Amino acid sequence: MQSLTSGFALFLTVPILARALFLPNSSDSAVGVLWSFPNETWIENLAVRHSGEILCTSLNRAALYSVNPFSHVTSTVHQFEAGDGLLGIAEIDFDVFVVASANVSLATSTAEKGSAKMWKVDLRELKPKVSLVANLADVGLPDGLAALPDTRGLVLLADAAKGVIWSVDTETGDHAIVAQNEAFITVNTQIPLGIDGIHISNGYLFFTNFGDNLLGRFQIGVNGTARGRIETIANLTNPDDFAVATNGLVYVAGDNKLYRASLNGSVDILAGGVHDPTLAGCTSAQFGRTSLDHDVLYIGTNGGILSPVNGIHGGQVLALNVGLFD
């Protein structure tokens, strides 16, 4: 891996995890900057390894980065070809991940027809192994990814352009539409992005519809097919990716804010605001996986590339101890 330490800005002089335990319960002041990338680096999605390292997909840099939240070291896991902007990421086996890519226009929020692909990234050895799973020419805009917990090697892929969910066999590359519903399609002509983030928890697939401001869920079978009606959890402005906590609370990044939604429909804004630079361009959220950071929510941002707040900045990885808001 090529080190990216030079040229990257680290804003904290003490470990963020240690600091976060003592942060006040006062919204923006509870958010710490773990890492800041160079200007105009769009961080789209996050996944956390068993070791605690945070994998960051970059939409406009066509790169997969790794940020160590304990040592504050960042590296490039793999540099993809130009035009293979990275979007969703999911772990399918111990330290084996799949990532979706496409040639996406940031100005129009659309992908070049036929450019969608899925890649496998194997991190079980010192040198990462990256291989093509499939060309997904019939997928519109690949976005969120979720591994099916009871069907090895099968993942679900949200198609934000076509408003459907695909199942993809990560061994053969075979793929087919497994779920479609009006709730996955947007009627927003200004932001033509429907179903966006997806995650599976306790037999439910949770999803956001970016253009239609929706957070919902529905029960699924072992192969990802819908088994129940769609439940609207909350209406949120431009909800992007999110994390589902073990207690059922959903932490959603969107509209420069971090939302906390409960299944009864109540919503809190834990940090940020439309004109607040704290979470400018926030795109994604994932919980830490070690004993040191299991209550820490990591948040990815694009630095406000499309909607600047006090100018455009580099994408960031932020940290918030959600235990402070209990």
Side-chain angles (χ1 to χ4, degrees), residues 203 267 278:
V267 176
T278 306

Side-chain angles (χ1 to χ4, degrees), residues 244-261:
V244 183
T246 55
N247 60 7
L249 292 173
V250 187
Y251 295 83
V252 186
D255 196 37
N256 299 341
K257 309 181 194 80
L258 179 68
Y259 300 99
R260 180 178 63 186

Side-chain angles (χ1 to χ4, degrees), residues 19-302:
R19 180 187 172 196
L21 296 175
F22 301 99
L23 285 170
N25 185 357
S26 58
S27 192
D28 291 352
S29 61
V31 179
V33 179
L34 181 62
W35 196 265
S36 185
F37 291 88
N39 271 6
E40 299 192 26
T41 300
W42 181 306
I43 299 303
E44 172 64 15
N45 221 315
L46 305 177
V48 180
R49 299 175 64 186
H50 292 264
S51 61
E53 292 173 294
I54 306 162
L55 298 175
C56 311
T57 66
S58 180
L59 182 57
N60 64 338
R61 301 292 186 187
L64 180 63
Y65 301 122
S66 175
V67 175
N68 189 315
F70 310 110
S71 65
H72 304 299
V73 172
T74 299
S75 58
T76 298
V77 177
H78 187 75
Q79 180 64 58
F80 291 79
E81 296 294 326
D84 288 326
L86 300 190
L87 296 113
I89 181 169
E91 187 173 25
I92 59 171
D93 200 349
F94 183 89
D95 251 0
V96 181
F97 296 81
V98 288
V99 293
S101 72
N103 188 2
V104 178
S105 166
L106 301 183
T108 63
S109 299
T110 59
E112 178 184 327
K113 186 177 181 179
S115 68
K117 301 172 187 174
M118 183 174 291
W119 307 84
K120 185 179 295 185
V121 181
D122 188 339
L123 302 178
R124 290 175 294 186
E125 298 180 5
L126 185 61
K127 184 177 180 180
K129 295 180 180 178
V130 179
S131 57
L132 180 67
V133 172
N135 287 300
L136 305 174
D138 42 358
V139 173
L141 199 164
D143 207 330
L145 272 170
L148 285 162
D150 299 317
T151 308
R152 185 180 178 88
L154 198 64
V155 298
L156 300 181
L157 172 65
D159 188 333
K162 294 188 175 182
V164 298
I165 299 175
W166 300 80
S167 66
V168 183
D169 187 320
T170 60
E171 295 300 322
T172 66
D174 292 341
H175 55 285
I177 294 173
V178 70
Q180 48 190 332
N181 191 282
E182 289 183 358
F184 305 158
I185 302 169
T186 183
V187 296
N188 189 331
T189 58
Q190 300 300 313
I191 308 175
L193 298 174
I195 188 168
D196 190 303
I198 57 173
H199 292 282
I200 298 170
S201 178
N202 293 323
Y204 283 85
L205 187 138
F206 290 72
F207 70 94
T208 56
N209 181 321
F210 189 92
D212 281 8
N213 304 322
L214 174 67
L215 170 66
R217 72 170 187 166
F218 59 96
Q219 286 185 302
I220 59 171
V222 293
N223 64 350
T225 55
R227 297 184 60 183
R229 64 181 182 83
I230 288 180
E231 305 171 23
T232 295
I233 299 172
N235 293 109
L236 312 170
T237 303
N238 299 146
D240 206 328
D241 204 7
F242 58 95
V244 183
T246 55
N247 60 7
L249 292 173
V250 187
Y251 295 83
V252 186
D255 196 37
N256 299 341
K257 309 181 194 80
L258 179 68
Y259 300 99
R260 180 178 63 186
S262 65
L263 296 181
N264 65 14
S266 65
V267 176
D268 300 304
I269 296 175
L270 300 189
V274 176
H275 304 295
D276 186 336
T278 306
L279 297 179
C282 57
T283 57
S284 47
Q286 283 290 321
F287 278 102
R289 296 180 67 179
T290 76
S291 60
L292 296 175
D293 65 351
H294 64 277
D295 282 335
V296 175
L297 187 71
Y298 296 112
I299 304 164
T301 82
N302 62 29

